Amino acid sequence: MTSSPPSPRLSSLTIAADVDEISRVSAWLEELGEQEDWAPQMLFGLELSVEEALANVITHGFEDGCHDPEIVLEYFRPAPEAIGIRIIDNGVAFDPTAQASPQLAENVEEARIGGHGLRFMRHYLSDFGYARVGDRNELTLIAGPKAATDGAASS
């Protein structure tokens, strides 16, 4: 990620650590996209990436019995041509950007479930990054032209 200061939050949504909440997040993103006239392909890529990230946070991030799970999504504009969502949670520390995408299967019989969300993110996002801040994970997802993120290194 870039070393510039974080962009100000324009909107936020707090959700429970429940997969049923993902549909509420999708509705929130679609509403933001409509209000701000996001390009359809940017909305699609960002929404798919957020859904994949949230499914993993909710499914794996609170396995240690966290007594008070908390997930907050923040919308921000890192550049005029880009849109960003930061997912902040108090689950187990995990850096998805450090994980390799799985090898693609040669055929359907060899295909395995899992790990392909990172492939989607790397394809649809112009940048994404991770930081552990105190006891919280912060996953930042940015959709937009690569140049809009000032050449930030993608993971």
Side-chain angles (χ1 to χ4, degrees):
M1 294 294 307
T2 61
S3 58
S4 60
S7 301
R9 174 182 61 176
L10 300 173
S11 180
S12 67
L13 178 67
T14 300
I15 65 168
D18 183 329
V19 292
D20 292 337
E21 290 279 81
I22 294 174
S23 62
R24 192 163 72 106
V25 172
S26 292
W28 176 67
L29 288 171
E30 288 174 16
E31 183 179 321
L32 284 171
E34 188 174 306
Q35 289 171 357
E36 304 231 343
D37 197 29
W38 294 348
Q41 67 274 19
M42 285 176 56
L43 173 59
F44 175 80
L46 187 63
E47 187 174 355
L48 179 64
S49 298
V50 168
E51 288 174 2
E52 287 289 334
L54 285 175
N56 285 324
V57 167
I58 292 166
T59 304
H60 305 293
F62 300 103
E63 291 178 330
D64 70 347
C66 177
H67 298 294
D68 193 17
E70 182 179 292
I71 303 171
V72 177
L73 292 95
E74 297 179 344
Y75 159 59
F76 65 99
R77 296 298 294 250
E81 311 83 22
I83 52 179
I85 297 293
R86 187 169 295 111
I87 301 171
I88 304 165
D89 70 83
N90 63 342
V92 196
F94 179 73
D95 180 358
T97 66
Q99 307 304 308
S101 295
Q103 293 290 335
L104 290 176
E106 294 288 325
N107 54 53
V108 173
E109 291 78 27
E110 294 177 10
R112 299 286 176 253
I113 295 173
H116 299 287
L118 286 172
R119 185 178 313 285
F120 292 139
M121 289 182 201
R122 289 181 174 121
H123 176 78
Y124 287 110
L125 299 174
S126 57
D127 195 15
F128 73 109
Y130 170 84
R132 182 75 176 177
V133 179
D135 64 347
R136 303 203 181 287
N137 297 299
E138 292 190 6
L139 181 63
T140 302
L141 312 174
I142 298 174
K146 300 258 186 218
T149 58
D150 297 322
S154 291
S155 299

